[in-house]
Amino acid sequence: MTLPSFDALNVGDEIPSLTTEPVSRLTLALYATGSGDHHPLHLDQDYVRSKGMPDVFAHGMLGMAYLGRLLTQWVPQEAIRSFGVRFTAITWVGERMVCTGKIVEKIEQDGEKCVRLELTCANEQGEAKHKADAVVVLA
Amino acid sequence: MLIDKKHIGMKVPPHSVNLTAWQLKWFAKATGETNPIYFDEEAAHKAGLPGVLAPPTFFFCMDMDKEHPFDYLETMECDLGKMLHGEQSFNYYKPIYSGDKLDFDGEITDIYDKKNGALQFVVKEVKVRRQGEVVGDLRSVMVIRA
């Protein structure tokens, strides 16, 4: 995988999107294993109902992991300088995640040619679940 | 009850994690990862990497890899059933691989509330070191519902 050229990209350009399989209870169980996050809010419906919520829901970090895949399918991971996310809505079982990103700024940072990207993880109806940004070094 | 702001500046008990290819394999399976450098040791070696590459959010998983991952919220007497993840960010300095031993060293840097205390926010910042060298840092904002 090679780095995209800084000069060839413009503010407003979109990077290739990523659409996931629907989030299932199995996905949440696998994510609990892989991440080590076994919080019952994501696994135990009885517990969740006792806390006043209707059903288990996805780990926020699962959505951020999908946004990480969006970045690393576009550039090698070592090009990522920073990556941050705000979790704005809960992702429920059955929802398919659509991850998109666009360049919002071209900057020079610590002598490196970088772009700042705005990333969104939304459901298929377009409801944003996570809004993120990342700074990535280009060639 | 509002969280006491005296906890700003509190050090989180440090911990260390041995990053294993086994755990990265399960993480890749859970997240639908298809690039084998994230789950196959042989493929990673063929790509010239010393081990399986940890993906961009994996610092968070390792930061949670301890007996009581929310020990700092328990110290503040928060109900962990009313907790939501508000924000998460990372800075990256060096890639990390299976076989690495990472040391996590965190501190509570802010506590604030919104909506007359209906939502409370606890900010934790953590430095990650490998053999003394900082390889990344993370900032987590946890939200506690009233």
Side-chain angles (χ1 to χ4, degrees):
Chain A
M1 192 186 283
T2 54
L3 281 179
S5 154
F6 179 81
D7 293 330
L9 288 168
N10 296 304
V11 170
D13 286 353
E14 296 195 1
I15 65 174
S17 66
L18 173 76
T19 300
T20 71
E21 294 298 310
V23 172
S24 68
R25 290 170 206 281
L26 176 62
T27 312
L28 301 185
L30 287 171
Y31 188 79
T33 302
S35 70
D37 183 350
H38 300 98
H39 198 293
L41 285 171
H42 309 299
L43 298 169
D44 183 343
Q45 197 174 33
D46 300 327
Y47 175 85
V48 174
R49 285 184 174 160
S50 79
K51 295 296 177 182
M53 302 187 84
D55 196 0
V56 296
F57 53 91
H59 305 72
M61 291 305 288
L62 174 64
M64 191 177 190
Y66 290 147
L67 288 170
R69 283 186 55 208
L70 174 76
L71 289 172
T72 59
Q73 73 173 14
W74 181 56
V75 291
Q77 187 175 320
E78 61 265 27
I80 306 171
R81 289 291 172 271
S82 62
F83 179 24
V85 65
R86 279 185 301 120
F87 302 104
T88 51
I90 285 173
T91 299
W92 300 103
V93 168
E95 291 190 301
R96 195 187 285 275
M97 299 286 94
V98 181
C99 300
T100 54
K102 68 176 179 189
I103 293 165
V104 293
E105 195 179 4
K106 295 177 80 172
I107 47 179
E108 287 228 12
Q109 178 178 297
D110 302 325
E112 296 181 310
K113 290 179 175 176
C114 301
V115 288
R116 195 166 67 79
L117 297 133
E118 272 182 13
L119 314 172
T120 304
C121 179
N123 65 12
E124 288 179 286
Q125 288 70 44
E127 182 199 359
K129 304 292 189 178
H130 318 318
K131 295 194 168 190
D133 68 359
V135 172
V136 172
V137 178
L138 298 182
Chain B
M1 197 178 70
L2 288 179
I3 301 167
D4 195 330
K5 293 198 178 184
K6 74 177 182 192
H7 295 299
I8 296 174
M10 181 173 81
K11 304 285 184 200
V12 177
H15 73 291
S16 300
V17 178
N18 292 303
L19 178 52
T20 66
W22 184 90
Q23 197 179 358
L24 292 172
K25 183 182 75 179
W26 282 101
F27 188 87
K29 188 174 174 66
T31 57
E33 180 59 63
T34 55
N35 183 343
I37 63 169
Y38 291 105
F39 54 82
D40 181 338
E41 212 154 16
E42 203 177 303
H45 288 153
K46 273 187 187 156
L49 307 178
V52 177
L53 179 61
T57 62
F58 207 77
F59 279 139
F60 180 83
C61 305
M62 286 184 284
D63 186 40
M64 296 266 294
D65 186 2
K66 57 203 286 195
E67 184 66 26
H68 295 285
F70 297 108
D71 46 9
Y72 61 103
L73 293 176
E74 290 172 38
T75 302
M76 297 174 197
E77 298 176 3
C78 296
D79 178 353
L80 299 186
K82 300 280 182 75
M83 172 179 65
L84 293 169
H85 201 170
E87 296 175 34
Q88 183 62 46
S89 60
F90 303 95
N91 290 307
Y92 303 104
Y93 309 116
K94 289 283 164 69
I96 57 167
Y97 304 98
S98 61
D100 285 351
K101 176 173 179 277
L102 288 313
D103 303 309
F104 291 76
D105 186 12
E107 180 179 346
I108 304 308
T109 56
D110 202 7
I111 296 170
Y112 57 95
D113 62 278
K114 289 180 181 174
K115 299 186 180 173
N116 293 320
L119 296 173
Q120 300 193 76
F121 299 79
V122 178
V123 183
K124 182 178 75 159
E125 295 186 14
V126 178
K127 286 211 180 310
V128 188
R129 292 183 176 84
R130 177 177 51 203
Q131 296 179 331
E133 180 189 26
V134 178
V135 292
D137 50 55
L138 50 139
R139 178 177 181 276
S140 309
V141 182
M142 303 309 295
V143 185
I144 310 295
R145 295 183 292 132

